[in-house]
Amino acid sequence: MARSVAAQLAFRGYDTQQVIWARGAEVQSWQFIISGLVAATTPTQEERSVPITIYGADSWFGEKPILNRMSARFEYVCLSETQVLVMPVAVFQKLFDTEPGFSRYLAKLTTWRAQRSAEMLTLMKLGNPPLRVVMGIAQFAEALASRSERPPTVGLDGGIAIPASQAVIAQLCGVSRAVFSEYVQPLALDGWLAIRYGSIELLSIATWQRFSSARRALPTDHINPTMAELLAELHRASGM
């Protein structure tokens, strides 16, 4: 079975900012990221796009529209040059119907992702600008440091650069470039990230992951924190 499925997969490459599926488009394949980053985004009331999920290397994406036989709820866009393996819908559906292990895996995957998407939808669409910026950055930490089909790896630490410009990250956080810079500066001064020319390096990935997990677990009325409160949450997540 594995050999026959492998023969039906194809490689595909996308450019930075290339849209894989527009919102409302038909999803015709399940895709596995070999390298790169893909964001599932949704518009805000101000008609800006914010990321609900960011997928990194070793992640499959696009399963929910296929399983529901519906069009894409989000827009899927590449945040960097991206290489993928493509599984046609017909192959996906055959595996789902005939392979119990595959069906169980998808059930766990979709349940876990649905919860994460609901949490992030609330935070990114209703949250104030400081929360959008900090949680938007935290999503990159999750995607770059761990496979997005399972919880973040425990014990992972160190720094990692976001392979996207500050302008792109600001756009994904649903804020202007000026607003983004306003809230990134305190993060840099506190040592949670380093600002490079046109880009950002995240420091202490483990702290960012613990912060994101704790922030997602808060009640939905905690969506208007001050920047000082968010910095305090990062300090608590670091154990300092």
Side-chain angles (χ1 to χ4, degrees):
M1 173 63 74
R3 184 172 298 177
S4 64
V5 169
Q8 298 177 76
L9 303 181
F11 288 97
R12 184 175 297 169
Y14 297 106
D15 294 327
T16 303
Q17 292 296 289
Q18 184 171 348
V19 175
I20 299 175
W21 302 306
R23 196 168 182 230
E26 181 182 359
V27 175
Q28 299 179 330
S29 60
W30 199 34
Q31 300 197 14
F32 177 81
I33 301 175
I34 300 170
S35 63
L37 289 172
V38 174
T41 69
T42 188
T44 65
Q45 292 180 346
E46 298 84 11
E47 297 185 353
R48 297 179 185 273
S49 291
V50 294
I52 303 305
T53 305
I54 298 178
Y55 303 98
D58 299 328
S59 299
W60 289 95
F61 65 95
E63 67 285 335
K64 190 171 182 180
I66 299 174
L67 289 170
N68 293 339
R69 301 181 186 275
M70 297 174 65
S71 57
R73 181 184 179 190
F74 304 121
E75 179 173 88
Y76 292 78
V77 60
C78 295
L79 305 182
S80 62
E81 289 189 2
T82 302
Q83 300 291 323
V84 300
L85 272 177
V86 175
M87 177 186 290
V89 166
V91 178
F92 177 97
Q93 291 175 335
K94 182 178 180 180
L95 284 173
F96 184 77
D97 292 338
T98 61
E99 294 294 322
F102 183 71
S103 301
R104 287 193 296 270
Y105 166 77
L106 280 173
K108 294 178 181 178
L109 176 66
T110 54
T111 299
W112 187 72
R113 283 184 169 176
Q115 178 182 349
R116 284 170 57 88
S117 294
E119 294 165 349
M120 193 55 64
L121 191 60
T122 299
L123 292 174
M124 296 302 287
K125 293 199 75 170
L126 302 180
N128 63 0
L131 182 59
R132 288 186 191 177
V133 169
V134 180
M135 282 303 295
I137 291 173
Q139 283 201 80
F140 280 98
E142 293 177 340
L144 290 167
S146 62
R147 296 180 180 179
S148 61
E149 72 269 15
R150 58 166 169 73
T153 302
V154 175
L156 182 65
D157 208 348
I160 192 166
I162 297 177
S165 68
Q166 291 186 45
V168 169
I169 302 171
Q171 180 182 3
L172 284 169
C173 292
V175 298
S176 68
R177 182 70 173 81
V179 170
F180 181 77
S181 295
E182 177 185 350
Y183 295 118
V184 165
Q185 292 294 335
L187 292 169
L189 289 174
D190 249 23
W192 307 119
L193 54 79
I195 300 174
R196 310 300 185 196
Y197 180 74
S199 64
I200 288 174
E201 180 183 356
L202 299 178
L203 307 176
S204 187
I205 296 300
T207 294
W208 279 101
Q209 292 178 332
R210 288 192 294 268
F211 161 82
S212 179
S213 178
R215 170 46 68 169
R216 290 173 187 270
L218 290 176
T220 55
D221 57 350
H222 288 244
I223 55 174
N224 291 295
T226 65
M227 194 64 203
E229 289 171 335
L230 291 169
L231 291 172
E233 290 178 26
L234 278 162
H235 276 281
R236 286 195 293 273
S238 72
M240 294 173 60

